[in-house]
Structures are given as C-alpha cells and as structure tokens.
Amino acid sequence: MVHTVPLVADSFIFPEREYGIVGGGVNETSIMQQVLNDASAQGRIVVLPPFAITISTLTVPTAGLQMIGQSGVGGAPSSRLITISNQKVISIPDNVQNLYLSNFRIVGNNTGANQHGIEMIGEGANMLVFDRLYIENCGGNGIRFTDFNFNYQLQNVFINDCSEDLFYIDATNSPAVKLTNCYAALVRANKSGYRIVGGQLTMDNCNGINGSNAGTSVLNLGTGSTVAIVFCRNCNFESFTSFGVYGEDGSDIVLQEGCSFVAPA
C-alpha cells in the first residue's frame, strides 16, 4: 500500500512546536492525548518529534488518526513512545475508522501482562494500517488484536523481546487481515512469535525466530475451540528448540510459495 501525505503545512501537527512537548522523561500523556484528539477533529497529521515522549496510555479517537514518526541515522525511526505504565501503550476502541500509524518505536518496560504495545479489543474498526513500527520490551503482547474488526494491515512491523506472545491476533470475526514484511524476534520461553488464535489471514514475506528459549513456537495456530487458517507466501519460520509451526486440530497453514522452515534436529 502506498500512503501519500499532502504537502501542505497546515495539514501537520508538530507536538513540540504547537503543544510544548519536551521529552526528557516528563510524563506528557495528557498533552499527547490532546494532540491526538485535535488532529483527529481537524483532519491533520501528527508528526512525532525525533526524540522519546514518555506516556502511560494513548487512546485513538474514534474518528480516526494519522500519526507518523521521523527517521534518524540509517533510516530507522528516531521517534519513540516510552511507557511508564503497566498498561497498554496505544489503545484502539470500538468503531475506529481510517487509522494510519507509521515510523515510530513503542518501548515498554516489561512490567505486567497487560502492558501491550498496541491493543485493539473493541469492535467495528475498519481501514487500519500499521506500517514501519518497532515494538519492544512490553510486559504483554507487542500487538494484541481481538474481536470483530473488518479490515486491517500490518506491514513492516518488527516486534522484539516482549514477555508474552509477540503478535497476538484473533481474526475469527475479521474478514480482511494481512501481515506483510513483519518480523517476530527473541520469543520468550513457552511463548509464540505469531499467536493466531482463530480466523483466516494472509502472511507475506514474514519472518520469525525463537532463538534458544525452550518451549517456544514461531507460528501457533488455533485453540481447542477455535480454528485458524493462515495463507503464507515467502515466509520463514526458524525454531531452535521446539515448533516452527504448531497448530491445534482443524487449524492449517497453506503454503503458497517460497516458504522455509528451520526446526531442531
């Protein structure tokens, strides 16, 4: 997907210029929430500053939002949201429409199983795109998406070293879900890189590695009561201790082309 941004100065909000965001470890949750609310109401794009902003939880406005970060040396995102809470960093409520988040880092502090990088547990969300996001060190999941949501894409999303499953997705009632160029790295013991609880989705050019932690699986499909079907193209799943791919009865992975697997001898 190609995302174009109109080159009109009034289209953007720079939080450090208009709202006095300073970084430096100060809790700026309330200011940043106002930034998001105003941007959504005015149809403007939030451009995060090239430094770390300390927050607890930010809630995406129902009317939608576009928020992009800035890049540093080598093209990696220099914009960061760092949490001081044991709760989710970004919360997506019911019926959010037209959300685009791109090119920034979400950094947890490995505190609490509810400290997810981005959590979407409501219903009715549609046209959501998550692009070039780096999520790390969360006490819960990097991504936790559940319930009935129509259409969302994760592309170029890198999740690293969270305490629970890195990507946790229940697409049971979500008819159009796609992961492209995503990466699950450093899966913790007895957790999964991609935990697809149920439903059907597509994975293109995705990668995952569980390192040396025991009992992990890179791609874990279904539960005892739900079935997950995943269509994979050009994906690579590497496990050095347990399962590259594990599926409960009825769940399946459809290998379309160019997939590779590494499993312990």
Side-chain angles (χ1 to χ4, degrees):
M1 173 178 290
V2 177
H3 184 82
T4 59
V5 176
L7 299 178
V8 179
D10 289 344
S11 298
F12 302 98
I13 288 180
F14 293 88
E16 73 276 27
R17 301 178 192 174
E18 297 184 42
Y19 292 79
I21 289 288
V22 296
V26 179
N27 184 354
E28 299 181 291
T29 304
S30 60
I31 303 174
M32 275 304 302
Q33 187 62 61
Q34 190 62 54
V35 170
L36 269 56
N37 294 345
D38 290 350
S40 178
Q42 299 166 15
R44 299 169 70 191
I45 301 165
V46 178
V47 180
L48 294 172
F51 53 74
I53 301 173
T54 301
I55 59 167
S56 53
T57 297
L58 295 177
T59 300
V60 173
T62 303
L65 177 73
Q66 296 183 73
M67 183 164 68
I68 60 177
Q70 300 185 48
S71 298
V73 176
S78 57
S79 300
R80 288 165 288 159
L81 298 177
I82 297 181
T83 185
I84 55 172
S85 167
N86 61 0
Q87 299 298 309
K88 53 204 166 192
V89 183
I90 295 178
S91 174
I92 303 173
D94 289 349
N95 300 313
V96 168
Q97 306 292 309
N98 298 307
L99 173 65
Y100 182 79
L101 302 179
S102 178
N103 198 44
F104 59 89
R105 293 181 180 272
I106 297 173
V107 184
N109 54 20
N110 283 306
T111 303
N114 292 320
Q115 188 190 73
H116 310 301
I118 305 176
E119 183 179 40
M120 177 168 60
I121 59 173
E123 299 182 350
N126 191 32
M127 298 300 293
L128 313 184
V129 178
F130 307 87
D131 182 29
R132 294 198 74 229
L133 299 179
Y134 293 72
I135 304 172
E136 56 193 332
N137 304 130
C138 293
N141 310 116
I143 292 286
R144 185 176 183 85
F145 291 171
T146 62
D147 289 335
F148 181 74
N149 295 291
F150 295 102
N151 178 322
Y152 57 89
Q153 298 184 41
L154 295 97
Q155 50 199 39
N156 308 299
V157 176
F158 181 99
I159 303 181
N160 179 56
D161 199 24
C162 295
S163 298
E164 300 293 331
D165 302 321
L166 301 186
F167 292 81
Y168 181 98
I169 297 175
D170 185 353
T172 302
N173 295 308
S174 302
V177 178
K178 185 174 184 179
L179 281 67
T180 304
N181 298 326
C182 293
Y183 194 97
L186 294 180
V187 184
R188 296 287 184 93
N190 301 310
K191 305 301 178 183
S192 301
Y194 301 91
R195 181 70 178 96
I196 312 302
V197 177
Q200 179 175 300
L201 58 80
T202 300
M203 298 178 70
D204 284 352
N205 300 301
C206 293
N207 203 333
I209 184 168
N210 75 352
S212 59
N213 289 320
T216 61
S217 56
V218 180
L219 177 61
N220 190 332
L221 307 176
T223 68
S225 59
T226 59
V227 171
I229 308 294
V230 175
F231 295 84
C232 288
R233 180 183 292 108
N234 297 321
C235 293
N236 177 57
F237 303 117
E238 300 185 25
S239 173
F240 296 98
T241 61
S242 186
F243 301 102
V245 177
Y246 174 82
E248 294 285 350
D249 288 347
S251 295
D252 199 6
I253 179 173
V254 180
L255 304 178
Q256 296 184 311
E257 61 178 324
C259 293
S260 60
F261 303 88
V262 174

